[in-house]
């Protein structure tokens, strides 16, 4: 099961390559994409909904509205538009590549964590990697469905895990 998250490597790398253009743009020129995202509600919707299309756990060609209710998709777009936060949401990608942030990745997180692994996530985390990064894993749950937007795709699974975490 752990090996299946990484191998065969070629389909994984192909999917990563197909979905990383946004990362390059946002990590190198966040102001450019920020200006574009704040200029047009249609452009912002296209940018965000394309991410849902690519990163939602559904069969290709994926229609994210088959997995996430359309009202939730539109609410997501409206939050970015009403707060004019397309640019600031892009900026974190550039900040994450600074020396300080990269150095933080070399430190183990020691507070208790509860992790969920969703099969449709862009990059999945094998348990061995999680153990390296987190010193106190209280739960590592592998879910049958869900992608990058798992909280919107599989809200019941998220709530069950949060309730378990809280001991409720």
């Amino acid at each position: 099961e752990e090996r299946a998250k990484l191998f065969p490597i070629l389909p994984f790398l192909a999917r990563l390559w197909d979905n990383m253009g946004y990362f390059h743009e946002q990590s190198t020129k966040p102001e450019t994409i920020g200006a574009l995202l704040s200029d047009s509600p249609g452009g912002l919707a296209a940018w965000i909904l394309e991410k849902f299309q690519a990163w939602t756990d559904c069969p290709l060609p994926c229609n994210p509205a088959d997995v996430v209710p359309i009202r939730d998709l539109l609410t997501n777009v409206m939050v970015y538009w009403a707060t004019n936060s397309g640019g600031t949401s892009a900026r974190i990608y550039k900040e994450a590549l600074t020396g300080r942030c990269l150095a933080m990745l070399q430190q183990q997180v020691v507070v208790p964590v509860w992790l969920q692994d969703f099969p449709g996530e862009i990059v999945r985390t094998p348990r061995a990697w999680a153990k390296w990064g987190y010193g106190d894993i209280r739960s590592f749950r592998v879910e049958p469905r869900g992608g990058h937007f798992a909280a919107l795709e599989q809200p019941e699974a998220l709530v069950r895990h949060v309730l378990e975490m809280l001991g409720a």
Side-chain angles (χ1 to χ4, degrees):
E1 178 183 322
E2 292 292 299
R3 292 176 58 86
K5 293 177 187 175
L6 295 176
F7 298 101
I9 197 75
L10 291 178
F12 166 77
L13 291 176
R15 182 170 186 230
L16 197 60
W17 180 258
D18 285 346
N19 290 291
M20 291 304 285
Y22 83 97
F23 186 88
H24 181 73
E25 182 67 29
Q26 291 181 186
S27 64
T28 58
K29 311 237 184 316
E31 292 81 8
T32 302
I33 195 68
L36 296 170
L37 295 177
S38 63
D39 186 54
S40 162
L44 175 70
W47 179 264
I48 291 173
L49 295 175
E50 186 275 331
K51 304 303 172 261
F52 274 93
Q53 186 273 330
W55 302 341
T56 300
D57 186 21
C58 64
L60 296 176
C62 178
N63 178 356
D66 290 341
V67 180
V68 177
I70 192 72
R71 71 175 184 280
D72 293 345
L73 294 169
L74 294 176
T75 297
N76 189 284
V77 171
M78 282 305 301
V79 166
Y80 281 91
W81 183 252
T83 61
N84 194 26
S85 57
T88 53
S89 69
R91 181 113 194 116
I92 193 168
Y93 290 85
K94 184 168 188 164
E95 300 296 329
L97 294 179
T98 65
R100 182 174 178 220
C101 285
L102 292 174
M104 288 173 53
L105 290 175
Q106 297 174 17
Q107 299 175 11
Q108 191 175 61
V109 175
V110 295
V111 297
V113 295
W114 286 254
L115 302 173
Q116 281 179 287
D117 177 43
F118 293 91
E121 182 58 276
I122 302 164
V123 178
R124 296 183 69 193
T125 304
R127 189 181 306 261
W129 290 5
K131 287 179 183 177
W132 177 85
Y134 301 98
D136 188 5
I137 299 174
R138 301 289 174 94
S139 172
F140 188 97
R141 180 174 291 165
V142 177
E143 298 292 348
R145 291 180 313 282
H148 186 71
F149 302 104
L152 293 171
E153 298 172 59
Q154 299 296 321
E156 296 85 8
L158 177 66
V159 168
R160 277 194 309 273
H161 207 198
V162 169
L163 290 174
E164 175 189 304
M165 176 185 71
L166 298 172

